[in-house]
Amino acid sequence: MHGTPLAIALLVAVLAPLAGAIVSGLFLRNAPKKAVSLVSVSAVFVSFVAAAIAYVGLDEGSLRFEGYRWFTIPLGGGQGVPIEFALSMDALSGMMAVMVAGIATLIHLFSVGYMAEEESYARYFAYLNLFTFAMQLLVLAANLPLLFVGWEGVGLCSYLLIGFWHQNLAYEAAARKAFIVNRVGDVAVLVGMFLVASLTGTLDFEALSQRAGVFDVPAFGVLGMTAATAVSLLFFWGATAKSAQIPLYVWLPDAMAGPTPVSALIHAATMVTSGVYLSARMSPIFVKSSAALTVILLVGAATALLAGLVALTQDRMKKVLAFSTVSQLGFMFAAVGVGAFSAAMFHVFTHAFFKALLFLGAGSVMHAVHAHGDAELDRLGGLRKALPVTSLTFLVGALSLAGVPLLAGFFSKEQILHALFGAAGNAQLAAGGVAVSIPSWAATTAIVFLALAALSTAFYSLKLYLRTFTGEPRHDAEPHEGGLEMKLPLVLLAVGAVLAGYLWLPAEGLERFAESLRAVVRDALPVEAHGGALPMIVGLGALAIGAGLAVALYKGKAEDPLPAKLGAFYRAAYQNFGVDALYDRLFVRPVAAISRFVRSFDFETIDGLFVGIPSGLATVGSKAVRQLQGSTVHSHALGMVVGLVLVFGYFGYPRLEVTIRHEGARTVLEVPPSFGYSYRVDFGGDGTYETGDFRADLTALAVPPSAAKKDRVVLLVHREPLDSEPVEVWLDEHPRELGERELGADFIPPGARGALPIMAWIEDGAVKLRTNLPGDEPEERELRPGQSHRIGAARLVATGVAFARVEVKNAFGHVTVQELEFPFRGRARTAVRGGSRRIP
Amino acid sequence: MTGSAGSWLFLVAASLAVACALGTVLSRNTLRSAMFLLGHLGSLAMLYLTLHAELLAAIQLLVYAGAILVLFVFVIMLIGPSGGEPPPFRNAFPRTFAATFVATLGLAVLGLVGRTAMEVPSAPEGFGGVEAVGFALFRDAAVPFELIAVTLTVAALGVVGITRGKTAVEAAGEAKRPEAE
Amino acid sequence: MTALFALAPLVLLLVGGLLIMLVDAFAKERVEVSALVSTLLGASFVVAAGSLLADPNPSGLPAEITRYLAVDATGYFTDVVLTVAALIATLAAGSYLREHELERPEIYLLLLLSTFGAMVLARAADLIVLFIGLETMSLAVYGMIAMRRNNARSIEAATKYFLLGSFAAAIFLFGAALLYGATGGTSIAAIRDAIRGGHAEPALVMLGLVFTLAGFAFKVAAAPFHGWAPDAYEGAMIPVTGFMSVVVKAAAFASLLRVFTGVFGDPLLMHPTTGWPTLVAALALLSMLVGNLGALGQKNIKRILAFSGIAHAGYVLVGFASLHAVPEDATAAILYYFLAYAGGTGLALASLVAFGSKGLEAVDVDDLVGLGKRHPLLALPMAIAMLSLLGIPPTAGFFAKLFLFQAAAQAGGIFAWLALAGVALSVVSGFYYLRIVVALYASEPAEGAVVARPMRSGYVLLAMVFGSALVVKLGVMPGLYLDLALEAGRGLFH
Amino acid sequence: MEFGIGAYAVLATTIFGIGALGFVVRRNFLVQLMSVELMLNAVNLLFIAFNRIYVEQHGGQSFAFVVIAVAAAEAALGLAIAIAYHRIHRSVETDLADRLRH
């Protein structure tokens, strides 16, 4: 292990919370609560201090702590991708690490008061510490696999914390949903990691950003995507799960079942932003794919709007905040989608303050009115006098979220809008020399979506404040503020919610913050603001309308007038537009059904598979089920016999996969060599086998000219550029028109359209061509197979069609036959038919 | 052993072996099954003789018929010949399936093995005799031969463990939870 | 003598086991058989590990021995895996039998000799010895299951396992006989040479492959030959379940590895589309499907682990399917997987032993509810085991799966899709593994539920510490062990 | 009429099939065990018959010897289990054992 003393700080920042978790989880179980608080709060605080020291000491460039060679991903042939156990900090991870530890410290502190009555106090703090550890590991990891460890870790802790209060297994659904949705995303991250490793030979972030040039070349195609698009979309898929984007956002609102400080820490400030963080980390690859960015932009904007609309209608504090989080994450991804990674990270930063503040405020309210789990807005109201600190700080948070000028949320949201307007304005964004283009319709759509989302943000944040703190009380508790340990975090976070935005201002002494970040992430956009005053007008307009509506509707009202006013839309939005129900029907029920089905895997299943499906045997099947049901020796033995027959059946019939390869002028048939296989081939279909009897040593065979069929010729039409794949035209004696598809649109002069410019047919084993081009005399020519002819920009080549009957015999004397027709040159295809029989 | 005598011996022994095998499988009385098995073992010993495996034929009779089968009969006597098992081919499904299985296996293997023309060299002097097989077992295959001892020890340990008298604890009752039905 | 030294891990067990048997038979006082057996297994482990690190490929051994028992790095590696697993099982068994007052010295001796059989099986270089090893191992396991003879479930499990196991053994033997007929040899090398030299009748070889593969598939509980596994696992005593699920499976897989890289390692037989890799891929997919989906609805933890074992057999078979493309990487991944699986499953079952006492066992998932609150230290290993089996980094299971799927991805084509299916199906496995973690940590038992109290026993604690250390170490420093596995696997290709 | 090794192989396969069939369709523990014995005997016949081709060694006969020895061990243990089974179910009908299920 080596590294500068400063690099050791990275290790401390990561390990301190782990130590805290171990001590309080395993050894302080029966200790006084004060001891637990002391250990766990100070563990996180130590992490904060260490991260801050490292961050401050981080001048230009990065800091790295080298551990040891963790493992090597084998890549075959002695090759491998070495993976170090290493931590590193640059402007991006530094900002995240300090923010995570800082907010975690405040939330730990708040929890001391909030969870004071909790029985499993030590367990709670152990989980919280463990979570902070995983998050710091995620942020400070120097390579993807280590990041993945943290990535899994935060998911796991979130899982444990969501289920924290549940007394039995029946209530764990929310926790399990969260975990499974996250795992669905993990698969994509893993696959993306494999791809990156095999393409670039490294998974280290630093090396990766240097080798990102690999992605400039369209290295391979996956479903018609370039490598950059495939990798970006895979990582984005992972991010949609962790950062709750469409279609994987369903888990986050349900995850509010845990204690409120947990919601604040995990589901607002830290874990959910890790998807954005990963995107920013991968920005050197992301910016190389316009397609992926467009997808991200649209998904982000749609999520922002959809979740914003759902948030309007929710009637519980935490539910509103949860959907609000989903919506704000949508904003961040919209920024990622136009390649404005630093704007996205800016919003991550400001959002962390005000959303943590709002959640803790909600926690403070719930603590005050003794609401369990969540607080219904209909049972709150008028809390301003009883909870002055909470009320004031909550207002600050709500206004910051709404985007009131000069508060943190305003600045970051403005930057996102600026970026979007920039993208809509000039379709070409320059990123490291590669042009990225976002279709302007996509950018415009996103702007509209985000403007509406901003409007609804303003509306629901004001609504939340008004319905909670103003008007007549609709509850019968005697509310009181929590202790200092609860008030202090609120105040500090409120300060952050006001000031965090100024760090980004191009002011003297502050510019380093934003500048150094931009040096790390690869923004596709130039730094300067775009779109003039328009983004600000849109933002402020949305704010004014939303806030105005909220005040008009809710000022002094006891009832929520929204359900009546919006009617069916309200109900639909309240139910999350039926998405949960849809998922239930699409995924949950089928899986449950399959599991029931497989669980009964003995006779019922074998029966279902082999007997039940063909309806004619249904009666036999049901009888068999009744008589053989059960887990007896019998049923298992039959299962084995079924297996044996299947295994035997696999080898019973030979498989034949003929590939046709063109080597210059030669056309070669290739057959897979295999044990006990022997082949014979009949060319031309005359019944004589050119290879003699079945031969085991046959692997490749040149197709002789005699294989050509007399009545078939293929015309290969090469268009400019001539090295592209030719278009094949199979000809017979009926004259055929060569039109736009074969010759290309530009080839056919305007006057010739519909006037049969070139006709082709086959006569005496040769191609006859009649050209009828405007301006030229009609002309007729003949092309023998092998000859070529040029007309304008096209080159026409005539080639014969070969016929081959390939037969393969396996060790058991079973023969599979395939008859093939294929042109001597051009694309090889066209299996005419196949079949099996037995030759003893 | 070739020539017509060998052929006749083969035909008789083979028919007997198949008939006894069928009898073993199809008899509803367990004791009768065991007797058919005895016949089967005997006819196999005869077949071994036609293959120049004199020692194996002797072992077949001594160990298989003499020891294993006696064990079977002993157990059948101990627990009484069973009855009341439903006829084996009552169910449509296993019948269909088993027939398919045997047909598949049979077709594949019969066609194949029957086709395989394998030359039968003349057996050297002493092939299959006590001396030759003894050398093969004790000298060439010493390792497997010694390892069989471990297998037999394991079986003995297992049998002792399963059948020996109750321990005090068992008499007092067993673990409660796993038995809770 | 050199041969005896080279085979010291096996010789120790055999000689020691016979000595213990004698001492137990003639001693006047009660002999602590479990302690003696654990010590022997530990010694064997140390010797095997030492040989693996010092001189994994000794030369100059008499051919009479090496033609039956391979003395190579792969052999030492499997010795290590098998002794580790057997040690965990024996320690757990010591606690379990004493706590539930079922103690019988025969069980420990059977454990010992079964491990010996497993090691013979894993090292077998000849089909005769392979069969003897297989039967020695299996007969001992049947005996161990049936030992709790007043328990209807145990006897049922023994009956099913015994009958089906004998059936499978006969099927395997039929395959061996056909291979003998095709080649005239019984040793892996002789059969291999005959096949490579083209002297073997192809049809007999193919049939031999079909039947031997079916026999192996039964032992490793790969679908559709898996039917017995859940029943046998559930009916057996917990430590025996642990032994079966790890030792039996790993030994059978190790032997399969020898047979498939040796006898059936012919390039023509290994053709990716027409040879056995595609067939093995199909078995792998089916096993992963059946195992993962079958475990979903189960309540009984042993049944869950049985289905999980079927799924894991599927993962290992993914490695087998990629042997044709990247033989060394795939072999190393398979060997590494044995260690990870042995650690994870052994740890889970040792924990399960620890959770019960005085005739009360933790049997169902519901029985674990709240254990993590009451006994956080004791519950931790179970959680670690579940996370490892699920494949969460940084545990052994993550890297085990990573290496296997990486090998399959390199093989490309349908094998890459197979790897993807494996990744997707291990997502499904989250449902049942995490149910156990949740039960441990996030819940309270229902009112009035009978709660099994954890036992107090140094043995089982030792097993848990040992297992946890293994799982965590394999996760935190996988490179070291992967290198070892790579080195060990090369022995097969010499 | 001459019978080559092929005839022995056909015979062995037939016996093996009969044994397998018996194992699958019968439910009597002892008869199932006897079916397995039939299968093992078929294997032995195959080994000994094939050894007749490779007369320069005794690999097949040695294997058959080992199979007989192991079969003895297997039968002994199996019968012990059968007795234990009979003590519980008062019968050796294996279908009675279906307590272990999901």
Side-chain angles (χ1 to χ4, degrees):
Chain A
M1 295 191 191
H2 53 90
T4 59
L6 210 52
I8 301 294
L10 298 184
L11 196 63
V12 174
V14 172
L15 290 186
L18 178 64
I22 291 173
V23 171
S24 49
L26 295 184
F27 304 114
L28 294 180
R29 210 158 43 87
N30 300 318
K33 287 178 177 169
K34 273 208 177 116
V36 176
S37 327
L38 189 69
V39 166
S40 42
V41 175
S42 52
V44 182
F45 187 65
V46 166
S47 169
F48 170 69
V49 172
I53 290 174
Y55 186 54
V56 170
L58 184 80
D59 35 41
E60 313 294 313
S62 62
L63 201 59
R64 194 174 166 93
F65 173 82
E66 281 291 338
Y68 57 98
R69 170 69 52 83
W70 193 19
F71 65 105
T72 306
I73 300 179
L75 275 186
Q79 297 283 309
V81 180
I83 306 295
E84 312 289 333
F85 193 96
L87 304 172
S88 81
M89 184 189 264
D90 54 17
L92 176 61
S93 51
M95 184 197 100
M96 282 294 283
V98 174
M99 183 196 93
V100 167
I103 288 182
T105 309
L106 295 178
I107 286 169
H108 273 72
L109 200 58
F110 185 85
S111 297
V112 170
Y114 190 80
M115 301 295 282
E117 307 295 316
E118 175 60 42
E119 233 177 274
S120 312
Y121 193 76
R123 194 161 62 95
Y124 171 82
F125 275 98
Y127 290 164
L128 219 52
N129 269 346
L130 199 62
F131 171 80
T132 314
F133 157 70
M135 191 67 204
Q136 289 290 59
L137 188 62
L138 188 162
V139 168
L140 292 174
N143 52 45
L144 269 170
L146 199 57
L147 178 144
F148 190 69
V149 175
W151 183 271
E152 288 282 339
V154 290
L156 198 67
C157 294
S158 140
Y159 182 59
L160 290 173
L161 280 163
I162 294 167
F164 185 78
W165 269 339
H166 292 132
Q167 303 295 303
N168 61 51
L169 291 175
Y171 293 106
E172 73 181 274
R176 215 182 313 167
K177 197 185 211 171
F179 194 85
I180 293 303
V181 168
N182 273 302
R183 290 288 288 176
V184 169
D186 295 343
V187 176
V189 175
L190 272 178
V191 176
M193 223 149 53
F194 276 132
L195 277 183
V196 170
S198 55
L199 286 170
T200 64
T202 183
L203 287 175
D204 193 276
F205 293 129
E206 228 173 275
L208 205 57
S209 80
Q210 281 156 16
R211 289 188 210 170
V214 173
F215 290 95
D216 291 337
V217 190
F220 73 111
V222 181
L223 303 172
M225 286 184 263
T226 63
T229 306
V231 169
S232 308
L233 284 181
L234 282 168
F235 283 117
F236 175 61
W237 176 3
T240 53
K242 195 119 298 184
S243 292
Q245 297 293 291
I246 292 174
L248 299 178
Y249 69 94
V250 285
W251 68 272
L252 185 58
D254 285 8
M256 295 300 146
T260 308
V262 170
S263 308
L265 180 61
I266 298 184
H267 305 121
T270 57
M271 173 177 128
V272 292
T273 58
S274 54
V276 185
Y277 172 74
L278 180 68
S279 306
R281 265 277 159 247
M282 291 290 119
S283 57
I285 300 175
F286 273 50
V287 292
K288 300 204 185 287
S289 168
S290 311
L293 286 184
T294 310
V295 170
I296 297 172
L297 173 66
L298 290 175
V299 169
T303 309
L305 179 59
L306 182 79
L309 291 178
V310 178
L312 284 181
T313 60
Q314 296 302 307
D315 52 8
R316 286 154 188 270
M317 281 187 96
K318 281 174 75 177
K319 281 271 184 204
V320 175
L321 290 174
F323 278 104
S324 155
T325 304
V326 176
S327 173
Q328 296 303 309
L329 289 164
F331 272 85
M332 299 168 202
F333 276 103
V336 168
V338 292
F341 299 97
S342 59
M345 288 312 295
F346 185 20
H347 201 52
V348 166
F349 186 70
T350 58
H351 177 258
F353 286 100
F354 58 72
K355 193 49 70 64
L357 169 61
L358 288 172
F359 265 109
L360 291 190
S364 178
V365 167
M366 285 154 60
H367 187 71
V369 300
H370 305 291
H372 276 292
D374 204 344
E376 287 175 55
L377 289 174
D378 285 340
R379 305 180 65 85
L380 297 172
L383 289 169
R384 192 170 51 185
K385 291 201 189 71
L387 308 173
V389 179
T390 308
S391 157
L392 189 66
T393 53
F394 197 92
L395 182 62
V396 171
L399 293 179
S400 189
L401 169 62
V404 168
L406 306 182
L407 298 183
F410 167 77
F411 291 108
S412 52
K413 211 175 281 180
E414 280 309 302
Q415 265 208 3
I416 291 176
L417 285 174
H418 270 296
L420 279 165
F421 273 97
N426 46 331
Q428 293 271 317
L429 313 175
V434 185
V436 181
S437 58
I438 307 291
S440 61
W441 63 264
T444 317
T445 315
I447 289 173
V448 174
F449 279 14
L450 288 194
L452 290 173
L455 193 152
S456 85
T457 309
F459 182 87
Y460 66 68
S461 34
L462 263 290
K463 164 187 169 179
L464 203 53
Y465 176 77
L466 291 170
R467 303 258 305 149
T468 307
F469 294 100
T470 65
E472 293 301 312
R474 298 182 293 276
H475 55 84
D476 42 16
E478 285 178 26
H480 57 91
E481 286 277 15
L484 179 66
E485 73 280 356
M486 288 174 72
K487 278 187 265 184
L488 185 67
L490 288 177
V491 173
L492 288 177
L493 283 171
V495 172
V498 175
L499 296 182
Y502 293 96
L503 288 174
W504 243 262
L505 287 188
E508 194 66 27
L510 284 174
E511 78 281 356
R512 210 196 94 206
F513 192 69
E515 283 305 314
S516 57
L517 182 65
R518 289 200 181 98
V520 175
V521 301
R522 298 277 174 89
D523 276 354
L525 274 180
V527 184
E528 65 268 14
H530 296 273
L534 203 55
M536 193 176 291
I537 294 172
V538 170
L540 291 180
L543 169 68
I545 299 171
L549 277 175
V551 173
L553 272 176
Y554 291 108
K555 187 78 181 158
K557 297 257 175 57
E559 290 290 309
D560 187 350
L562 213 52
K565 282 204 176 16
L566 292 178
F569 177 79
Y570 181 90
R571 283 191 298 279
Y574 184 75
Q575 300 290 340
N576 188 11
F577 294 110
V579 171
D580 283 326
L582 182 72
Y583 280 18
D584 187 57
R585 212 156 293 161
L586 274 183
F587 302 115
V588 179
R589 284 187 210 175
V591 169
I594 291 172
S595 89
R596 275 197 300 277
F597 175 73
V598 171
R599 205 176 347 144
S600 58
F601 195 89
D602 30 55
F603 263 93
E604 289 166 81
T605 319
I606 291 173
D607 211 61
L609 285 177
F610 295 97
V611 189
I613 296 167
S615 54
L617 297 173
T619 19
V620 183
S622 69
K623 212 171 169 186
V625 170
R626 262 179 284 125
Q627 293 186 339
L628 289 166
Q629 198 176 11
S631 51
T632 57
V633 176
H634 249 89
S635 46
H636 298 331
L638 255 159
M640 286 169 66
V641 170
V642 169
L644 193 58
V645 170
L646 289 181
V647 171
F648 182 73
Y650 172 83
F651 288 116
Y653 290 94
R655 269 166 299 282
L656 182 53
E657 287 171 21
V658 187
T659 39
I660 299 161
R661 212 155 38 79
H662 300 290
E663 290 174 345
R666 283 193 343 145
T667 300
V668 178
L669 278 191
E670 281 183 343
V671 287
S674 190
F675 192 78
Y677 275 24
S678 50
Y679 296 92
R680 67 176 177 186
V681 184
D682 166 16
F683 285 117
D686 52 0
T688 57
Y689 290 87
E690 271 76 357
T691 54
D693 202 8
F694 285 101
R695 276 168 56 189
D697 55 346
L698 201 65
T699 51
L701 198 63
V703 182
S706 62
K709 297 190 78 173
K710 288 269 181 293
D711 54 344
R712 282 285 173 90
V713 176
V714 167
L715 193 62
L716 303 174
V717 185
H718 295 267
R719 286 182 311 212
E720 295 285 3
L722 290 180
D723 55 350
S724 65
E725 278 283 303
V727 180
E728 283 175 15
V729 188
W730 290 61
L731 297 174
D732 50 25
E733 67 272 20
H734 301 291
R736 209 178 137 174
E737 171 191 4
L738 300 189
E740 207 170 293
R741 199 182 73 79
E742 288 85 10
L743 299 169
D746 3 330
F747 179 83
I748 302 183
R753 241 159 248 252
L756 307 181
I758 302 180
M759 297 293 291
W761 68 97
I762 168 173
E763 215 175 283
D764 300 334
V767 177
K768 293 276 189 192
L769 286 173
R770 188 192 305 131
T771 53
N772 189 17
L773 292 166
D776 288 348
E777 285 296 305
E779 202 182 348
E780 201 161 299
R781 10 173 126 242
E782 193 185 82
L783 271 181
R784 293 252 152 228
Q787 293 179 327
S788 71
H789 178 57
R790 183 180 272 275
I791 300 176
R795 192 161 60 97
L796 309 178
V797 182
T799 181
V801 173
F803 173 86
R805 178 187 289 118
V806 184
E807 299 187 357
V808 56
K809 185 161 86 162
N810 71 357
F812 303 114
H814 284 285
V815 173
T816 298
V817 185
Q818 223 176 61
E819 294 183 350
L820 301 147
E821 270 186 3
F822 50 92
F824 276 96
R825 283 147 82 189
R827 261 165 302 174
R829 53 183 173 87
T830 332
V832 180
R833 61 177 169 273
S836 286
R837 65 201 155 92
R838 189 154 188 283
I839 298 180
Chain B
M1 206 179 291
T2 48
S4 58
S7 304
W8 277 109
L9 194 51
F10 173 79
L11 267 188
V12 171
S15 325
L16 203 57
V18 170
C20 287
L22 283 173
T24 310
V25 167
L26 297 178
S27 287
R28 302 216 18 218
N29 181 314
T30 329
L31 197 56
R32 207 164 290 160
S33 282
M35 289 305 119
F36 275 121
L37 185 59
L38 179 64
H40 175 79
L41 297 173
S43 43
L44 278 196
M46 252 193 282
L47 286 169
Y48 292 172
L49 282 179
T50 67
L51 287 164
H52 281 287
E54 285 95 11
L55 180 65
L56 261 293
I59 291 175
Q60 169 87 354
L61 287 179
L62 285 176
V63 178
Y64 241 122
I68 302 182
L69 204 73
V70 168
L71 212 55
F72 266 99
V73 173
F74 182 74
V75 170
I76 293 168
M77 294 316 219
L78 188 71
I79 62 184
S82 74
E85 183 195 345
F89 288 110
R90 201 185 56 192
N91 304 325
F93 183 59
R95 184 170 56 202
T96 327
F97 196 86
T100 324
F101 165 59
V102 171
T104 320
L105 184 82
L107 271 181
V109 183
L110 291 184
L112 137 87
V113 178
R115 185 170 62 96
T116 319
M118 283 182 271
E119 284 176 29
V120 186
S122 61
E125 190 64 28
F127 174 77
V130 179
E131 194 180 351
V133 179
F135 264 120
L137 275 175
F138 297 126
R139 196 186 53 203
D140 302 341
V143 172
F145 191 76
E146 284 159 20
L147 286 174
I148 294 176
V150 184
T151 316
L152 292 171
T153 313
V154 162
L157 267 174
V159 172
V160 169
I162 297 170
T163 50
R164 81 168 182 190
K166 281 186 179 183
T167 61
V169 185
E170 273 179 333
E174 289 204 348
K176 294 147 211 152
R177 187 62 183 275
E179 275 74 42
E181 295 287 324
Chain C
M1 273 324 267
T2 42
L4 285 189
F5 279 119
L7 285 170
L10 283 82
V11 174
L12 259 178
L13 288 193
L14 186 57
V15 174
L18 295 177
L19 278 179
I20 295 175
M21 220 181 293
L22 285 177
V23 169
D24 184 51
F26 293 108
K28 296 244 162 49
E29 293 152 40
R30 204 160 150 265
V31 181
E32 281 293 323
V33 179
S34 67
L36 290 174
V37 169
S38 311
T39 315
L40 262 183
L41 284 169
S44 175
F45 164 69
V46 170
V47 172
S51 309
L52 182 62
L53 295 174
D55 180 19
N57 289 303
S59 54
L61 298 175
E64 294 87 59
I65 288 183
T66 50
R67 69 164 275 218
Y68 289 107
L69 287 172
V71 184
D72 56 9
T74 321
Y76 289 118
F77 193 92
T78 49
D79 285 352
V80 167
V81 175
L82 297 174
T83 44
V84 162
L87 187 58
I88 294 179
T90 313
L91 288 171
S95 305
Y96 181 88
L97 298 175
R98 193 156 313 147
E99 186 71 32
H100 299 287
E101 298 179 0
L102 294 163
E103 189 140 59
R104 293 199 160 173
E106 289 95 348
I107 293 189
Y108 302 112
L109 289 167
L110 284 177
L111 250 168
L112 187 75
L113 292 178
S114 185
T115 313
F116 174 76
M119 286 157 89
V120 169
L121 172 62
R123 277 176 178 273
D126 186 293
L127 296 183
I128 297 183
V129 167
L130 196 159
F131 174 64
I132 297 174
L134 184 75
E135 285 297 309
T136 311
M137 175 181 84
S138 305
L139 289 178
V141 173
Y142 307 144
M144 283 192 274
I145 300 176
M147 200 113 336
R148 194 163 60 162
R149 51 129 184 231
N150 286 343
N151 183 315
R153 283 167 183 273
S154 281
I155 292 302
E156 176 176 342
T159 300
K160 287 179 178 170
Y161 192 27
F162 169 76
L163 281 176
L164 293 164
S166 311
F167 185 55
I171 288 176
F172 168 80
L173 275 180
F174 195 68
L178 290 172
L179 286 176
Y180 174 71
T183 62
T186 54
S187 78
I188 290 179
I191 301 175
R192 180 195 59 203
D193 293 344
I195 292 178
R196 292 244 166 108
H199 307 310
E201 162 67 35
L204 286 181
V205 174
M206 291 307 243
L207 276 179
L209 170 62
V210 168
F211 282 90
T212 43
L213 179 63
F216 275 119
F218 173 86
K219 273 293 161 207
V220 301
F225 302 89
H226 66 282
W228 59 276
D231 294 358
Y233 282 27
E234 186 187 341
M237 293 180 274
I238 301 171
V240 178
T241 308
F243 184 84
M244 287 162 73
S245 60
V246 183
V247 175
V248 171
K249 190 169 282 198
F253 262 128
S255 182
L256 185 69
L257 189 62
R258 279 189 195 280
V259 172
F260 269 56
T261 53
V263 173
F264 303 119
D266 184 87
L268 288 179
L269 269 172
M270 276 176 119
H271 189 278
T273 52
T274 57
W276 53 262
T278 305
L279 174 67
V280 171
L283 291 183
L285 183 65
L286 198 60
S287 303
M288 293 191 294
L289 269 172
V290 168
N292 281 319
L293 297 179
L296 284 182
Q298 304 294 339
K299 279 190 187 141
N300 185 299
I301 299 170
K302 281 193 274 182
R303 268 192 110 76
I304 291 180
L305 286 173
F307 277 107
S308 138
I310 296 166
H312 284 276
Y315 301 138
V316 177
L317 285 176
V318 170
F320 276 87
S322 357
L323 274 171
H324 68 279
V326 280
E328 298 203 341
D329 286 359
T331 308
I334 291 168
L335 291 176
Y336 187 90
Y337 206 93
F338 293 164
L339 262 184
Y341 178 73
T345 305
L347 183 57
L349 286 156
S351 301
L352 212 52
V353 167
F355 294 158
S357 66
K358 295 267 174 286
L360 262 184
E361 289 181 354
V363 177
D364 289 339
V365 178
D366 291 339
D367 296 343
L368 301 187
V369 168
L371 251 166
K373 280 187 181 173
R374 297 192 300 274
H375 310 276
L377 257 176
L378 200 66
L380 191 62
M382 185 69 163
I384 293 177
M386 290 300 122
L387 295 183
S388 177
L389 289 174
L390 174 53
I392 299 268
T395 54
F398 173 73
F399 291 103
K401 276 187 195 153
L402 179 84
F403 297 142
L404 277 179
F405 293 153
Q406 171 74 20
Q410 285 175 64
I414 60 159
F415 305 101
W417 288 108
L418 184 67
L420 210 60
V423 175
L425 282 168
S426 44
V427 171
V428 175
S429 69
F431 272 112
Y432 53 90
Y433 291 129
L434 288 166
R435 251 180 75 206
I436 293 178
V437 178
V438 168
L440 284 174
Y441 283 104
S443 317
E444 284 285 354
E447 289 289 318
V450 187
V451 181
R453 297 178 151 283
M455 64 170 67
R456 289 171 181 282
S457 160
Y459 277 144
V460 70
L461 277 185
L462 193 63
M464 287 162 82
V465 169
F466 192 56
S468 312
L470 183 68
V471 170
V472 173
K473 191 133 189 281
L474 278 169
V476 178
M477 305 190 132
L480 179 68
Y481 295 92
L482 185 69
D483 287 347
L484 260 180
L486 263 171
E487 198 54 49
R490 284 204 187 103
L492 287 179
F493 301 101
H494 271 163
Chain D
M1 203 158 79
E2 287 285 327
F3 293 100
I5 296 304
Y8 286 90
V10 169
L11 175 63
T13 309
T14 313
I15 297 172
F16 188 82
I18 293 172
L21 192 68
F23 186 86
V24 174
V25 297
R26 293 297 302 260
R27 301 128 187 254
N28 184 309
F29 194 124
L30 299 173
V31 176
Q32 283 183 303
L33 198 50
M34 286 188 234
S35 299
V36 172
E37 298 295 342
L38 281 180
M39 293 165 79
L40 292 179
N41 269 296
V43 168
N44 278 347
L45 180 58
L46 208 51
F47 269 123
I48 291 170
F50 280 136
N51 204 159
R52 188 69 187 74
I53 308 175
Y54 307 105
V55 283
E56 65 283 1
Q57 30 92 336
H58 285 90
Q61 295 199 13
S62 306
F63 212 138
F65 176 81
V66 168
V67 172
I68 291 177
V70 172
E74 204 174 81
L77 192 71
L79 289 170
I81 295 176
I83 292 173
Y85 187 87
H86 188 264
R87 277 179 6 121
I88 286 171
H89 295 281
R90 293 283 139 214
S91 158
V92 283
E93 207 177 308
T94 47
D95 274 6
L96 295 176
D98 64 345
R99 221 178 269 227
L100 297 170
R101 51 165 78 197
H102 10 281

